[in-house]
Amino acid sequence: MILNFYGIFLILTTFFAAHCAASDEIQQPPFSIPNKEMAHTPLTVPNGRLLEWTMEDGVKVFHLIAEPVKREFAPGLIVNCWGYNGQVPGPVIEAIEGDRVRIKVTNKLTAPTTVHWHGVLLPNGMDGVSGLNQKPIQPGETGTYEFTLKQHGTCMYHPHYDEMTQIAMGMNGFFIIHPKEETEDTKVDRDFVIFLNEWAIQPGTYTPDPNVMLDFNYFTFNGCVYPKTESLVVREGQKVRIRLGNLSMDNHPIHLHGHTFTITGTGGCTVPKSAQHQDVTVDVPVGSTRDIEFVADAEGDWAFHCHKTHHIMSGMVHGLPNMIGVDQSGVEAEIQKLIPGYMAMGEKGMGNMTDMGGPPNYLPMSSPGPYGKIEMNGMFTILKVRKGITSYTDPGWYTQPPGTSVKISQ
Amino acid sequence: MSRVPFYLCFLVAIFCGCTRVHEPDGNELSKLVEPRIGRRVQWSQGTKEDLLVDEIVTLLLQNELTVDAAVHLSLLCNRSLQAMYQEIGISQADIVQAGLLPNPFVSAQVGFPTQSGASISTQFSIAQNFIDAFSISLRKKYASLQQELIELKIAHAILDHVAKVESAYFELQAEMGRCTLLKTVVEIEEAQVQLSQRQLQAGNVYEIGVAKHEIRLHEAKIEFVKSESEILILRERMNELLGLWGKNALWKIPGDLSDIPSQELDVSDLENLAIKNRLDLKSAKKEVELLAQALGLKKWWTYTEGQIGVLQNRDSEGISSIGPTFGAQIPIFDYGQAERAKLSAKLKQSYERMSSLIVSIRAEVRASQEKLLASRALAEYLLKTVTPLQNKTMQLAQKLYNSMSISPYKLLKTRRDVVEAELAHLLAVKKYWQARVELGKQVGGKLLLRCL
């Protein structure tokens, strides 16, 4: 029998399909593209996607388009951002150590830009610092970066022209470089990427203020605020990796409930096993990445959030008078005569605030949960661990087994 | 020859020269004033009409006074107006005086003889200045013109008085509205003080924050108290103009200024309207006429003071004689040349003053017209643009407060900004109504103005 090209193709395809069918019956969520090479666990990008690539003469070719993007942080909050390919943060560039990558960057902004490949080892001329390594890419122009990947790890990309403005407007993204081959140590069952961003969006407005240095009021995971942040759905017993990237102005101590994890990667590098330690909170400094890994061995809905308490609020304005413990009875009635509809607030803190009709493009500070309002949004999502699931679609709220719920009495 | 006919003729002549003084009335004055302000003059002279005045006053005071009711009251009760009306009585007496002949001059002389044999001599004469008789009609005409002048001046003063009443009314009404708004400001500041005091009680602020709020409260209270005091002062000003005191001084007026009418006055050709109707201008013209008339009275022959009379003489020898007498000054030094020159200069002066008044009237009318239109434009701008914006800001601020994006202090400050906008509008409306009063006065009477 002569094995012609088509025959070989058919055999390989059949083998390949059978392998896929046997190894993983769980369907990938529609928002992540299965890596065609299957050498590693596909990335899961909550509220985002991977950047498509094509092969051209052995080079992986990506095309980033820097452009204005209207991003819905959550229903009721639309933000005029700058991003890439309609995304904020930009789509995840995923490649493998050893790949030759060619990344075209087309500038559809009204301002010049560049892209710096944060943490990636590459020729100086590709480093993307405007004025130092290259001239900026003017509006309408396309810059082409090309280099061979000499490492693996969690890296990032962002502009290096007027960074204060362009990063504050949302221009950043992940550049994930997988090792050539997975090992038992590196192989995970679920691999999530979460980009940390901060925004200063005054109530009733739509555009972030890049001039704000510290006084932010919206905090996002992958450009979204809970309840829009997609839950991290895993099957009980799976090994989970969460990659965190931070190009905001603050460090973010990210805390996971119900599990301890190991910090396995920092700044695009792997932490040697001997140096790894366990924790329940990982501080992600500005300009850095952190990879954490754990086995999801506890079923339930587990909060995963920044532990700076202001970073799990949304729309908060600072500098207001402190009304904690202030008895406003009587005064409220007097003010209602002057301003009908006035309600005293703040005596008991921010909890249990009802939506009294705020300005447009504003999020109330709490969202519905199974036991009333969850007094968190901002940098908050939920790790949903379920026994024996066959799909990563959101399974809804966890039903606590009898005898495992808190008892509240008078 | 009998002397009786002489004396009888003389007595008849004297009798014919006597004229009674009639009681003056305000009819001519009312004819001048009523078409201009819509009210008659009420000259208190003890007539049947005067008995009704108290009833009318009581009726008017039962309700809140409108601006027209205030004008009516002042025409009824203001005693300085009544004092002014008496000028007409005075001028009427002057007319009578002008028609009177001078009194005859009687002299008698008795001579006791210093020699024996002679008898007592007597001389008796009556003389009458006859020159004045020729000038009676001129003098009466002059006095009539004077009365007309006085009536014009009084009528003009009445219009001026009415304008003062109306302007004072609007001033008071605006101040009452302002006082109400200032009270709201006090309440706003009081609420902030209460909030800050409670914050202090909870340990959330330092005393200085409370003190700052208290200072603003006291500043607001001071403005409010000043306004209350100003209202009392303006009320007394009104009482003075209305001529009221005691229980009658406790009248009330509505606390809100009327809205600016949608139809504006027709301001075309107001200058000519004023020139035609201004009573002070008519007075000035009358004064020119009067001076011309006065000049006519100063003929050279009026300085002769000629007299004719009868002289009866009985000398010491007992011989009697009777006959006419004649005497006069010879106007060789003073024939009135200086008086005539003076009057001539005064006449020219009066003419120049009249011309100057015309220029002033035109300028005043244009200025008043501009004030009216400008104050309307400002009031409308404030009402239609600024106040709605402030109200919108209030609504938006409330939304921000509801989302805890602004403090209750900022919310209350925004409420205060709304009050400030209302105050600005109130002031503009007051200025409009006062400008309208002034324009009415400038053209010679508010009823002469027409709407577009």
Side-chain angles (χ1 to χ4, degrees):
Chain A
M1 186 166 63
I2 298 169
L3 284 176
N4 59 22
F5 171 76
Y6 291 109
I8 294 167
F9 177 75
L10 268 172
I11 291 165
L12 282 172
T13 309
T14 309
F15 172 77
F16 180 77
H19 179 75
C20 286
S23 67
D24 192 353
E25 288 173 318
I26 293 173
Q27 299 299 308
Q28 299 302 326
F31 50 73
S32 115
I33 301 169
N35 187 289
K36 292 174 182 129
E37 292 163 8
M38 290 300 289
H40 52 270
T41 304
L43 288 173
T44 302
V45 188
N47 303 105
R49 63 183 176 89
L50 300 169
L51 182 62
E52 301 82 3
W53 48 267
T54 55
M55 290 299 290
E56 286 178 19
D57 298 323
V59 178
K60 227 171 226 173
V61 181
F62 299 87
H63 192 181
L64 276 177
I65 302 169
E67 57 184 358
V69 173
K70 275 197 191 316
R71 175 76 172 170
E72 185 187 73
F73 281 20
L77 181 63
I78 308 276
V79 182
N80 299 329
C81 301
W82 289 355
Y84 298 96
N85 302 60
Q87 283 282 118
V88 172
V92 177
I93 297 175
E94 188 185 24
I96 297 175
E97 184 179 358
D99 280 349
R100 178 120 182 124
V101 295
R102 182 181 301 143
I103 309 167
K104 296 178 186 175
V105 177
T106 299
N107 183 4
K108 287 190 177 174
L109 300 170
T110 53
T113 192
T114 66
V115 179
H116 165 64
W117 315 101
H118 190 107
V120 180
L121 307 171
L122 37 63
N124 184 247
M126 298 293 169
D127 201 37
V129 178
S130 176
L132 180 63
N133 309 120
Q134 66 169 98
K135 286 184 179 169
I137 306 167
Q138 297 295 334
E141 290 181 344
T142 298
T144 303
Y145 300 82
E146 187 165 332
F147 43 88
T148 303
L149 298 173
K150 295 186 251 186
Q151 78 220 86
H152 60 267
T154 304
C155 301
M156 300 182 283
Y157 65 87
H158 62 82
H160 231 296
Y161 175 94
D162 190 13
E163 303 86 271
M164 183 193 89
T165 301
Q166 296 190 4
I167 293 177
M169 291 295 288
M171 294 177 78
N172 44 37
F174 275 116
F175 193 149
I176 308 293
I177 309 168
H178 295 288
K180 280 194 183 126
E181 283 174 7
E182 296 283 359
T183 65
E184 278 304 312
D185 283 339
T186 63
K187 181 92 174 117
V188 293
D189 300 305
R190 299 283 275 147
D191 196 344
F192 297 96
V193 291
I194 296 179
F195 217 102
L196 312 175
N197 289 98
E198 293 176 320
W199 313 83
I201 306 167
Q202 297 310 315
T205 68
Y206 296 79
T207 306
D209 183 356
N211 296 308
V212 169
M213 195 168 82
L214 296 172
D215 196 12
F216 300 98
N217 61 343
Y218 285 99
F219 306 87
T220 56
F221 277 172
N222 283 347
C224 285
V225 166
Y226 186 82
K228 193 169 173 183
T229 49
E230 288 171 358
S231 299
L232 312 179
V233 181
V234 305
R235 193 169 59 237
E236 192 188 23
Q238 281 185 322
K239 188 175 175 191
V240 180
R241 177 188 293 133
I242 304 176
R243 303 173 193 254
L244 300 159
N246 180 16
L247 290 173
S248 72
M249 291 289 287
D250 283 308
N251 61 303
H252 296 287
I254 306 295
H255 173 57
L256 175 63
H257 291 220
H259 298 78
T260 56
F261 53 72
T262 308
I263 300 165
T264 59
T266 75
C269 309
T270 306
V271 177
K273 221 168 163 147
S274 58
Q276 290 177 1
H277 70 274
Q278 290 197 306
D279 212 320
V280 294
T281 303
V282 57
D283 195 14
V284 187
V286 181
S288 193
T289 61
R290 291 290 183 269
D291 301 345
I292 61 171
E293 292 175 18
F294 59 94
V295 174
D297 56 8
E299 205 184 3
D301 291 340
W302 301 105
F304 183 63
H305 62 91
C306 178
H307 221 291
K308 287 197 173 179
T309 51
H310 283 220
H311 294 186
I312 48 170
M313 307 288 279
S314 284
M316 238 185 83
V317 170
H318 306 118
L320 297 177
N322 183 3
M323 290 303 195
I324 292 284
V326 175
D327 177 11
Q328 297 178 59
S329 55
V331 185
E332 186 182 34
E334 291 303 310
I335 298 177
Q336 279 168 348
K337 288 180 201 166
L338 299 161
I339 304 169
Y342 172 83
M343 265 183 67
M345 287 194 283
E347 186 183 339
K348 296 169 189 159
M350 311 280 280
N352 218 27
M353 264 188 64
T354 53
D355 184 2
M356 291 160 57
N361 213 41
Y362 167 78
L363 282 183
M365 288 186 217
S366 56
S367 307
Y371 297 94
K373 289 196 192 302
I374 301 176
E375 300 290 341
M376 286 194 283
N377 41 23
M379 277 182 176
F380 164 62
T381 189
I382 304 172
L383 174 74
K384 293 193 174 184
V385 182
R386 299 288 186 273
K387 263 189 183 49
I389 52 170
T390 56
S391 161
Y392 293 129
T393 309
D394 194 309
W397 300 115
Y398 175 65
T399 307
Q400 293 161 357
T404 68
S405 306
V406 66
K407 289 185 176 50
I408 298 169
S409 55
Q410 293 295 325
Chain B
M1 188 180 166
S2 172
R3 299 167 207 155
V4 170
F6 277 111
Y7 295 123
L8 270 175
C9 286
F10 220 79
L11 282 169
V12 167
I14 287 166
F15 181 77
C16 289
C18 294
T19 315
R20 277 189 304 122
V21 180
H22 296 288
E23 278 298 316
D25 56 39
N27 288 334
E28 289 307 309
L29 203 53
S30 286
K31 281 181 196 165
L32 285 170
V33 163
E34 195 172 357
R36 289 173 160 80
I37 61 170
R39 290 266 167 219
R40 288 187 55 79
V41 164
Q42 181 64 40
W43 187 350
S44 178
Q45 290 176 294
T47 61
K48 262 192 305 190
E49 250 183 45
D50 296 336
L51 295 173
L52 295 171
V53 165
D54 283 345
E55 274 181 46
I56 297 170
V57 167
T58 306
L59 206 63
L60 286 170
L61 290 173
Q62 272 173 4
N63 302 309
E64 283 186 335
L65 297 180
T66 60
V67 63
D68 286 335
V71 166
H72 192 182
L73 264 177
S74 76
L75 291 174
L76 294 174
C77 304
N78 187 287
R79 307 322 296 179
S80 59
L81 282 180
Q82 296 295 325
M84 216 168 27
Y85 300 154
Q86 297 302 337
E87 289 287 330
I88 298 173
I90 294 168
S91 67
Q92 187 125 349
D94 285 342
I95 293 173
V96 168
Q97 179 69 37
L100 295 175
L101 285 170
N103 292 324
F105 187 78
V106 175
S107 76
Q109 189 182 323
V110 178
F112 294 95
T114 54
Q115 291 169 330
S116 61
S119 51
I120 296 171
S121 65
T122 57
Q123 194 177 67
F124 180 77
S125 72
I126 295 178
Q128 174 68 47
N129 186 321
F130 68 91
I131 295 294
D132 281 352
F134 295 121
S135 64
I136 280 179
S137 66
L138 284 175
R139 290 206 311 272
K140 278 177 87 165
K141 174 114 195 267
Y142 178 84
S144 286
L145 283 174
Q146 238 176 356
Q147 185 178 37
E148 285 171 22
L149 176 63
I150 284 166
E151 280 169 349
L152 283 169
K153 283 188 171 172
I154 291 174
H156 180 72
I158 291 172
L159 296 189
D160 194 54
H161 176 86
V162 164
K164 280 183 187 157
V165 170
E166 291 177 336
S167 191
Y169 180 94
F170 293 129
E171 190 74 36
L172 172 62
Q173 201 171 43
E175 192 59 40
M176 289 165 68
R178 183 169 171 269
C179 194
T180 304
L181 290 172
L182 288 177
K183 185 155 191 296
T184 304
V185 172
V186 169
E187 287 166 358
I188 289 168
E189 296 301 333
E190 223 153 41
Q192 293 187 69
V193 165
Q194 282 199 47
L195 275 175
S196 66
Q197 281 171 345
R198 285 163 193 239
Q199 275 193 290
L200 181 70
Q201 280 161 19
N204 296 8
V205 294
Y206 185 42
E207 275 186 78
I208 188 170
V210 179
K212 283 184 177 173
H213 283 295
E214 283 175 340
I215 287 171
R216 279 195 285 277
L217 171 61
H218 290 307
E219 285 168 353
K221 277 185 172 173
I222 287 169
E223 286 306 306
F224 173 66
V225 164
K226 274 190 198 169
S227 178
E228 279 189 322
S229 170
E230 183 65 17
I231 287 172
L232 292 175
I233 292 167
L234 289 171
R235 281 190 65 92
E236 291 314 319
R237 172 86 183 113
M238 280 286 290
N239 279 328
E240 189 189 341
L241 290 168
L242 298 179
L244 298 175
W245 64 282
K247 260 190 340 188
N248 286 348
L250 301 176
W251 43 266
K252 288 186 170 35
I253 67 170
D256 295 312
L257 279 167
S258 301
D259 290 335
I260 290 178
S262 53
Q263 271 199 300
E264 189 46 86
L265 298 170
D266 182 0
V267 296
S268 59
D269 208 29
L270 286 183
E271 284 182 53
N272 288 335
L273 186 70
I275 297 300
K276 195 175 151 195
N277 291 290
R278 278 278 285 260
L279 291 175
D280 54 347
L281 184 56
K282 287 184 191 298
S283 302
K285 286 178 183 167
K286 191 62 66 174
E287 205 149 328
V288 170
E289 203 183 326
L290 195 65
L291 284 167
Q293 187 73 16
L295 201 55
L297 281 173
K298 299 293 176 187
K299 303 280 189 224
W300 66 267
W301 45 264
T302 60
Y303 290 87
T304 58
E305 297 201 22
Q307 291 185 352
I308 55 165
V310 175
L311 176 71
Q312 193 213 1
N313 190 53
R314 184 168 181 261
D315 65 16
S316 58
E317 288 170 8
I319 299 171
S320 297
S321 65
I322 187 164
T325 61
F326 175 81
Q329 289 183 11
I330 302 173
I332 52 171
F333 299 120
D334 180 9
Y335 48 93
Q337 67 275 36
E339 283 274 345
R340 280 196 299 280
K342 184 172 164 185
L343 278 171
S344 183
K346 277 191 173 177
L347 180 60
K348 285 178 195 160
Q349 183 186 58
S350 170
Y351 185 80
E352 291 304 327
R353 280 188 180 149
M354 184 185 71
S355 303
S356 162
L357 182 60
I358 290 172
V359 172
S360 296
I361 286 171
R362 286 186 181 276
E364 281 166 2
V365 166
R366 287 194 302 270
S368 293
Q369 183 179 315
E370 177 53 36
K371 266 191 220 171
L372 180 81
L373 297 176
S375 57
R376 167 181 278 270
L378 177 61
E380 283 182 344
Y381 181 71
L382 287 167
L383 183 68
K384 289 178 182 164
T385 304
V386 176
T387 303
L389 259 177
Q390 287 287 7
N391 288 332
K392 185 179 172 183
T393 307
M394 187 70 228
Q395 287 165 14
L396 293 173
Q398 195 147 6
K399 281 185 191 276
L400 285 174
Y401 171 76
N402 290 346
S403 62
M404 289 188 95
S405 301
I406 60 170
S407 68
Y409 297 107
K410 190 133 187 216
L411 184 67
L412 285 163
K413 183 179 176 312
T414 308
R415 181 67 181 89
R416 184 168 169 162
D417 289 343
V418 171
V419 174
E420 299 292 341
E422 287 170 347
L423 276 169
H425 177 248
L426 178 73
L427 186 66
V429 172
K430 178 192 85 167
K431 283 193 169 16
Y432 172 80
W433 285 114
Q434 289 180 329
R436 200 163 155 133
V437 164
E438 193 183 310
L439 188 62
K441 186 179 99 165
Q442 298 298 351
V443 300
K446 62 181 180 179
L447 292 189
L448 300 174
L449 293 168
R450 294 281 172 266
C451 284
L452 281 169

